[in-house]
């Protein structure tokens, strides 16, 4: 096809670097965003979002139903750090709601075993 680039193919990966998507930010403005936290579009959020990038809109489209942060990163094919920064933008504007996992407080805060998390990440990468 005319105008196609010889150096770009399906194996090239994303053309825009992650730090360009986040404006050079490595941490979200607000929120911690646990891998297993659920994100959902805010039903009572402001009517018209301000200053959003296409990736923000993609997140809003995917969060019409609750989805975990890890699933969201996988579905959008974005790095987890990028997704966390973008989620921070949306949370700050009141466009999404976060639902962190509830841990048994009688035992103290417990996180999933590191081996389980690594297996989940490896599984997501293989998709």
């Amino acid at each position: 096809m005319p105008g196609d680039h010889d150096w770009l193919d399906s194996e090239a990966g994303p053309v825009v670097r992650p730090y360009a998507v986040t404006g050079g930010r490595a941490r979200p403005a607000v929120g911690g965003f646990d891998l297993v936290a659920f994100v959902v579009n805010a039903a009572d959020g402001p009517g018209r979002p301000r200053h959003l990038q296409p990736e923000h809109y993609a997140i809003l489209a995917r969060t019409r139903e609750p989805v975990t942060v890890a699933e969201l990163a996988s579905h959008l094919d974005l790095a987890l750090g990028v997704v966390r920064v973008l989620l921070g933008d949306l949370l700050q504007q009141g466009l999404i709601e976060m639902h962190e996992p509830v841990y048994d407080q009688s035992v103290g805060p417990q996180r999933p075993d590191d081996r389980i998390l690594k297996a989940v990440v490896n599984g997501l990468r293989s998709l």
Side-chain angles (χ1 to χ4, degrees):
M1 198 170 171
D4 281 352
H5 299 285
D6 292 334
W7 53 269
L8 181 63
D9 60 20
S10 61
E11 307 260 336
V15 177
V16 177
R17 297 282 182 214
Y19 58 82
V21 174
T22 64
R25 298 171 295 152
R27 299 197 188 287
V30 295
F33 307 107
D34 191 292
L35 280 174
V36 294
F38 281 93
V39 183
V40 67
N41 223 320
D44 59 350
R48 187 177 174 108
R50 298 173 291 142
H51 306 30
L52 297 183
Q53 298 173 0
E55 293 82 6
H56 288 113
Y57 288 112
I59 289 172
L60 290 173
R62 278 282 181 185
T63 57
R64 289 185 184 123
E65 293 186 11
V67 62
T68 65
V69 173
E71 288 175 303
L72 192 57
S74 175
H75 286 300
L76 298 175
D77 197 25
L78 291 171
L80 185 59
V82 170
V83 171
R84 285 178 169 157
V85 171
L86 297 175
L87 286 173
D89 297 343
L90 296 172
L91 185 62
Q92 191 173 36
Q93 291 187 36
L95 298 172
I96 60 168
E97 296 174 0
M98 293 297 301
H99 300 279
E100 297 286 339
V102 178
Y103 299 109
D104 186 357
Q105 298 300 322
S106 65
V107 182
Q110 293 181 335
R111 302 254 175 201
D113 188 87
D114 284 342
R115 292 178 292 126
I116 294 172
L117 292 176
K118 286 178 184 175
V120 169
V121 169
N122 289 335
L124 289 172
R125 285 183 181 152
S126 69
L127 292 174

